[in-house]
Amino acid sequence: MSRAADDSLASVRARGTLRWGGDIQGGEPYAFQDPSDSSRLVGFEVEIADAIARRLGVRAEFVQNDWQNLIPSLERGDFDMAMNGIEVTPARAARVSFTRSYYAFTETLVVRRDNSTVRGLADLRGQRVGTLNGSFGLDLIKQAPGVEAVLYEGVEEPYIDLEQGRLSGVVLDNIIANRYGLVRASLRAAATVGEGVYAIAVRPADRTLRQALDDALAAMAREGELQAILTHWQLWDARQAALATAETAPALPSTTVNATLTGAHVVLFLRGAGFTIIISLLAMALAVAGGLILSITRRYGGVVVRSVAGVYVEVLRGTPVLLQLYVLYYGLAPVLRLNAFTAAVVGLGMNYAAYESELYRAGLDAVPIGQTEAALSLGMSRGLTLRRIVLPQALRVALPGIANDFIALLKDSSLVSVITVVELTKQMTITAVDVRGWFAPGLLCAALYLALSYPLSRLARRLERRLLPVPT
C-alpha cells in the first residue's frame, strides 16, 4: 500500500479516538483499575496513551484484550495500536511495525533465597522455570539447554509457585520481578539474563499512524513528558535516560522463525491429547466415586451429614470450576501444596462429583420404594438391600448421564491450563504463538477433541437406547 493510500491516521482523527489494546491482567504499573475508582484505568502506559492521543488531537480509548493475543487482535483490526509491555522480538517484528521504544527493560531471573548456587539459567539445567507464554523470557528459557519452561497467564502466579517449591526459578521483565517477585522475603534476584525494549505495535500498512506515533513519542521524550510519567511510576533510570535520547525506532531484524505446522508440532499435540485423556479418566473416576458417596449420604445419612453433603453439592455446582482450580492450586498452596497434575485431577473430580451425585439421586428416586420394603421384609439388612437391590437399578438409570458428563469433562479439562498443565488446548495456544497463526493449530486441536469425544457420544446414545423402558 502506498503512503498516499494509507488513511490510518486520517481515520483515527475522523473517529476522534485512538483505540489501543492492552490487558489489565498485567496489573500495576502497566494499566490497571484505579483502587480508589474502579471505573477508571491508571498506569504508566495509560498516561503514555493519553499523552499520545492528546498530541494527535483525539481521545485515547482502551480496549481490553488477552495479552497473549494482542498481536493477532491488532492484525484483525480490533484496535489501532497495541501497547502493553510488548517486547520487541524478531518474531513480532516480522508481523507488525514498531514505533520507537518507550521503555528499556531487563530480564530478571528470580530464585528462592535459600538457593545460593544459582547464578544464571545454565545453573537450572533439568529444572522448571516459569514465565509468561509468548514472552521474551520464554525465548530465553528455550535457548537454555535442558531447562523446562512452565507457562503462566498471570504475573503473580509464577512467584507463588516459586515460593511453594513447584518451580526453581522465574524469568520475567524487571518491572514485574520488582513489583511481584522481589517484594517476597523468600525470593532473590539471581541474575539479569537478557534485555530489550517496549514499543507500540501497529499494522505494517498503517504507515502514517506509525509516523504520527513516532513523532508524538519523540516529542514526549524531548520535552521531558515521558521522563515525568516514568518517574511518577518509579520507572526512570539510566537505561531510560539513554533510550530517551535515541532518535530512531527499534531495528526490525529479519526473522528465521519457522511459521509452519510441522510433524514435531503434531507429536506435541498428541502428547497434549494424552494428558487430556489421563486427566479426564482420573478425574471422572474420582467424580463417580465421590458422587455415589454424596448421593447415598444425602439419602441415608443423619441430619448433619445430609446438610454438609447438600452444601457441598450446591457450592461446587454454583461456582465456576475455573475459580475452584485457582483456589485449590494457588489459594490453598500455603497449607496444601499439590502439584499441578494432582490439583487438576482433584479439582475437576470434586466439581464433577457434585453433578454425578444428582444423577445418582435421580436414579435412586427411580427405584420403587416397594422393592426396598420387600427386601427388608425378607430379612435383608439395609446395607445389603442397597448394594444388591437399589444401587444396581439406580446406576442403570444414571449411566447415560454419566457418559454425557464424561464428554463434558473431557472438554472442561482444557481449564486446567490455568494451573500450568499443558494439555491439548494449552498445547494449541503454545503452537499458535510459535507458528504465528491460530487456524491450523485450532483445526488440529478440534479434530483431536472430536476424535476423543465422538466415540463417547456414540456410546452414550447406545446406552440411552438400550436402557429405555421396554414398551408393554
Side-chain angles (χ1 to χ4, degrees):
M1 181 182 294
S2 68
R3 181 181 292 271
D6 173 21
D7 60 353
S8 54
L9 178 60
S11 297
V12 168
R13 284 182 166 149
R15 189 194 318 132
T17 56
L18 175 64
R19 293 167 55 81
W20 67 284
D23 186 357
I24 59 175
Q25 188 182 0
E28 189 267 345
Y30 295 93
F32 60 103
Q33 290 178 325
D34 187 344
S36 61
D37 181 3
S38 60
S39 64
R40 62 187 290 266
L41 292 181
V42 293
F44 79 97
E45 290 181 330
V46 175
E47 294 183 14
I48 290 174
D50 288 341
I52 291 174
R54 187 174 64 253
R55 290 171 184 272
L56 267 56
V58 298
R59 177 175 56 84
E61 179 181 329
F62 178 79
V63 179
Q64 169 61 31
N65 197 99
D66 179 68
W67 184 82
Q68 187 180 317
N69 294 321
L70 280 173
I71 300 302
S73 296
L74 174 69
E75 293 172 330
R76 276 170 34 89
D78 292 347
F79 33 77
D80 302 309
M81 66 180 203
M83 179 178 66
N84 195 206
I86 298 178
E87 304 132 327
V88 178
T89 65
R92 292 194 179 114
R95 299 178 62 173
V96 299
S97 180
F98 280 114
T99 64
R100 62 176 290 151
S101 311
Y102 63 85
Y103 186 81
F105 68 89
T106 58
E107 287 292 313
T108 304
L109 171 61
V110 177
V111 300
R112 285 186 297 280
R113 192 168 293 281
D114 58 7
N115 187 351
S116 59
T117 60
V118 176
R119 297 287 184 272
L121 281 171
D123 297 323
L124 294 173
R125 179 187 289 268
Q127 300 182 54
R128 291 157 51 90
V129 177
T131 190
L132 297 177
N133 190 19
S135 68
F136 182 50
L138 177 58
D139 295 342
L140 294 174
I141 295 173
K142 285 181 176 177
Q143 294 168 11
V147 178
E148 180 186 353
V150 182
L151 304 180
Y152 293 82
E153 297 180 4
V155 295
E156 189 92 45
E157 296 89 335
Y159 297 109
I160 294 175
D161 274 2
L162 180 59
E163 279 191 316
Q164 296 301 322
R166 293 163 174 159
L167 296 176
S168 299
V170 174
V171 174
L172 285 172
D173 299 354
N174 63 307
I175 294 180
I176 301 173
N178 291 335
R179 309 266 174 151
Y180 296 92
L182 298 177
V183 293
R184 300 166 186 268
S186 61
L187 304 183
R188 68 175 180 88
T192 296
V193 296
E195 60 182 13
V197 293
Y198 294 159
I200 299 172
V202 298
R203 288 177 288 276
D206 295 347
R207 295 183 181 87
T208 56
L209 177 60
R210 180 200 161 185
Q211 186 60 53
L213 298 177
D214 263 345
D215 294 343
L217 282 171
M220 290 172 61
R222 186 172 59 250
E223 297 170 8
E225 186 174 13
L226 182 60
Q227 179 179 352
I229 293 173
L230 295 180
T231 300
H232 171 69
W233 290 97
Q234 300 178 340
L235 297 172
W236 183 261
D237 54 25
R239 290 191 306 275
Q240 315 317 318
L243 187 66
T245 59
E247 296 293 333
T248 60
L252 303 180
S254 61
T255 179
T256 56
V257 175
N258 185 359
T260 305
L261 197 65
T262 65
H265 289 121
V266 175
V267 172
L268 291 174
F269 268 77
L270 293 175
R271 181 184 176 190
F275 270 103
T276 293
I277 294 172
I278 293 171
I279 290 171
S280 300
L281 285 173
L282 293 177
M284 196 65 201
L286 182 62
V288 167
L292 186 58
I293 293 172
L294 283 169
S295 61
I296 292 175
T297 300
R298 294 182 73 183
R299 175 172 283 257
Y300 300 107
V303 175
V304 175
V305 175
R306 285 204 307 270
S307 299
V308 171
V311 169
Y312 177 93
V313 171
E314 295 307 322
V315 170
L316 271 291
R317 287 199 311 167
T319 54
V321 64
L322 186 64
L323 172 63
Q324 295 163 20
L325 289 169
Y326 271 125
V327 172
L328 180 64
Y329 187 66
Y330 294 113
L332 298 181
V335 294
L336 182 63
R337 188 181 302 176
L338 300 175
N339 62 43
F341 182 85
T342 304
V345 171
V346 172
L348 289 174
M350 290 176 61
N351 179 270
Y352 269 79
Y355 291 94
E356 299 314 296
S357 72
E358 291 298 284
L359 289 175
Y360 297 136
R361 182 182 60 78
L364 291 171
D365 289 343
V367 180
I369 189 66
Q371 296 193 22
T372 300
E373 294 171 348
L376 293 174
S377 67
L378 291 174
M380 297 178 69
S381 67
R382 183 167 291 278
L384 189 61
T385 301
L386 180 66
R387 190 167 66 250
R388 290 190 177 178
I389 305 299
V390 179
L391 278 183
Q393 298 180 74
L395 291 176
R396 178 184 173 92
V397 174
L399 203 53
I402 295 173
N404 282 319
D405 275 356
F406 185 59
I407 296 171
L409 190 151
L410 192 72
K411 291 177 286 188
D412 280 352
S413 65
S414 62
L415 296 173
V416 303
S417 63
V418 300
I419 56 174
T420 75
V421 177
V422 182
E423 39 67 62
L424 184 52
T425 301
K426 186 64 176 179
Q427 185 58 56
M428 188 274 291
T429 64
I430 295 171
T431 304
V433 173
D434 288 344
V435 304
R436 297 182 247 153
W438 290 84
F439 187 69
L443 277 182
L444 179 56
C445 182
L448 287 172
Y449 268 117
L450 187 61
L452 295 177
S453 64
Y454 184 71
L456 293 171
S457 177
R458 297 289 299 175
L459 174 63
R461 292 179 186 174
R462 185 174 179 180
L463 288 172
E464 288 171 0
R465 286 196 299 268
R466 287 189 59 184
L467 299 177
L468 280 175
V470 179
T472 57

